Amino acid sequence: VPTPSPGGGMSLALRYVQNLKVLRRHDPSIVSIIDQFSYVCIYHHDGKKWIKKGYEGSLFLFER
């Protein structure tokens, strides 16, 4: 079982395990997290300019 890092924060291994646990509650077929991003915003380009779509937050790229 991963342990917290000496600085008091969560170690990368512990964060991975916790995130995988939460994701599997929504989709039990998830095998592993390939990459994760703490904050992203989704934009759409309409041919002239970028338009913010209103989706913001964490993003996980995972394997099923």
Side-chain angles (χ1 to χ4, degrees):
V1 176
T3 57
S5 64
M10 190 181 293
S11 71
L12 292 178
L14 182 58
R15 183 174 301 152
Y16 175 89
V17 169
Q18 293 295 337
N19 284 335
L20 186 58
K21 184 177 177 181
V22 171
L23 289 171
R24 282 183 174 158
R25 278 192 228 140
H26 297 280
D27 185 349
S29 66
I30 295 174
V31 174
S32 65
I33 298 172
I34 297 168
D35 208 344
Q36 51 194 359
F37 307 90
S38 59
Y39 188 78
V40 297
C41 295
I42 305 297
Y43 287 82
H44 170 74
H45 194 268
D46 69 357
K48 297 179 183 177
K49 62 184 177 190
W50 289 101
I51 301 168
K52 194 171 185 179
K53 298 302 288 182
Y55 300 103
E56 302 179 38
S58 301
L59 176 83
F60 295 89
L61 180 62
F62 56 85
E63 177 185 8
R64 289 174 128 181

